Amino acid sequence: MTSPEPQSPAPQPSEPESRDRVFRSVPAIAGGVMLLGIAAWIGIDAVINGGGRTPWLALAVLLLVVPLVVAFTLRPAVYAGNDRLRIRNPWRVIVVPWGQVASLRSAYSNEVLTASGAKYQLWAVPVSLRARKRAARREMRATAQARRQMGQDGGRGGASGTRSGLGGGFEAGPVSDGPVRAETDRIMDDLRALHEDRREAASAQGEVTVRWAYEVMGPALAGAVLVLILVAVG
């Protein structure tokens, strides 16, 4: 009777990679769609109803304008994964491993600074000073309301809080979930937390890569050349 051959241990399932979180500017996308609609309406009307060189000039202008609108409105995005930050700006795509990120800075624009000293702007996460002011006003109102509530609770019970059901003690009153922040500032806080968590990981090391968006630059440059030629000839 032969003994059964020892079976190799079953391979452990690898940890599934989490999908990248994508951040984009909704107002920019809406504005881009509107601009593309206007450009298509005017351009198609000029091609159909225009005479002489007008249809060709309209096509050349569309070839110039459409890539520019797409580049500055629909294209920008920030992809945050476990291992790297991928920034898709109008003219470039920058991939920065978390180990190469020195800091994420917010001032008049949101930027990522690398260990080598390079700085890249996050076009898809624009700073809104108006949103920051609204958040500051909401924070002031929430703080004032919390102080009034604490004062009322203290006047009724001699301490801040609500009386518990047993033993005559007090439980802490409702507290704020945290400071009120503008949406883009919250996004930057999330990116900083992810950076702090993943910057020492072995898979988050590597070199920064930058690729130029020739698929956008090429058509725009061709459109500009055609417009100049048609204007000079006409």
Side-chain angles (χ1 to χ4, degrees):
M1 184 175 180
T2 59
S3 60
E5 296 181 358
Q7 297 181 354
S8 59
Q12 297 294 329
S14 59
E15 182 180 355
E17 296 184 359
S18 61
R19 298 181 61 183
D20 290 355
R21 297 179 60 187
V22 183
F23 303 99
R24 307 183 75 173
S25 174
V26 175
I29 294 175
V33 171
M34 182 181 65
L35 290 176
L36 289 176
I38 295 174
W41 173 42
I42 297 175
I44 293 174
D45 180 72
V47 169
I48 295 175
N49 301 319
R53 290 191 178 91
T54 301
W56 297 105
L57 184 59
L59 289 175
V61 171
L62 285 176
L63 187 60
L64 169 63
V65 170
V66 170
L68 293 179
V69 173
V70 171
F72 285 94
T73 60
L74 304 183
R75 176 179 170 81
V78 173
Y79 300 84
N82 282 337
D83 298 332
R84 79 284 184 275
L85 183 69
R86 184 159 66 97
I87 307 164
R88 194 171 69 187
N89 282 345
W91 306 119
R92 295 184 296 180
V93 177
I94 306 104
V95 179
V96 186
W98 288 118
Q100 289 291 330
V101 174
S103 64
L104 291 152
R105 185 171 63 184
S106 295
Y108 292 104
S109 63
N110 291 316
E111 302 164 340
V112 56
L113 277 70
T114 66
S116 62
K119 179 176 65 176
Y120 303 103
Q121 185 176 350
L122 305 181
W123 279 77
V125 190
V127 169
S128 174
L129 298 180
R130 181 177 299 178
R132 283 182 176 176
K133 291 179 180 178
R134 286 200 302 264
R137 287 195 295 268
R138 290 198 301 268
E139 175 68 14
M140 292 175 62
R141 287 196 296 266
T143 301
Q145 183 178 2
R147 288 177 177 174
R148 287 196 299 269
Q149 184 66 32
M150 291 175 63
Q152 292 174 1
D153 292 342
R156 287 196 302 266
S160 176
T162 56
R163 188 175 299 277
S164 63
L166 297 175
F170 285 86
E171 298 174 350
V175 296
S176 174
D177 293 334
V180 180
R181 303 273 283 167
E183 182 180 0
T184 55
D185 291 336
R186 292 198 302 267
I187 291 174
M188 293 300 291
D189 291 341
D190 293 341
L191 293 178
R192 292 187 186 99
L194 185 57
H195 170 234
E196 289 294 327
D197 184 56
R198 296 294 302 171
R199 64 179 180 178
E200 301 295 339
S203 59
Q205 310 304 315
E207 297 297 328
V208 178
T209 61
V210 179
R211 180 181 68 83
W212 289 94
Y214 295 109
E215 66 277 10
V216 176
M217 300 169 61
L221 182 60
V225 171
L226 288 176
V227 169
L228 291 177
I229 292 174
L230 290 173
V231 171
V233 171

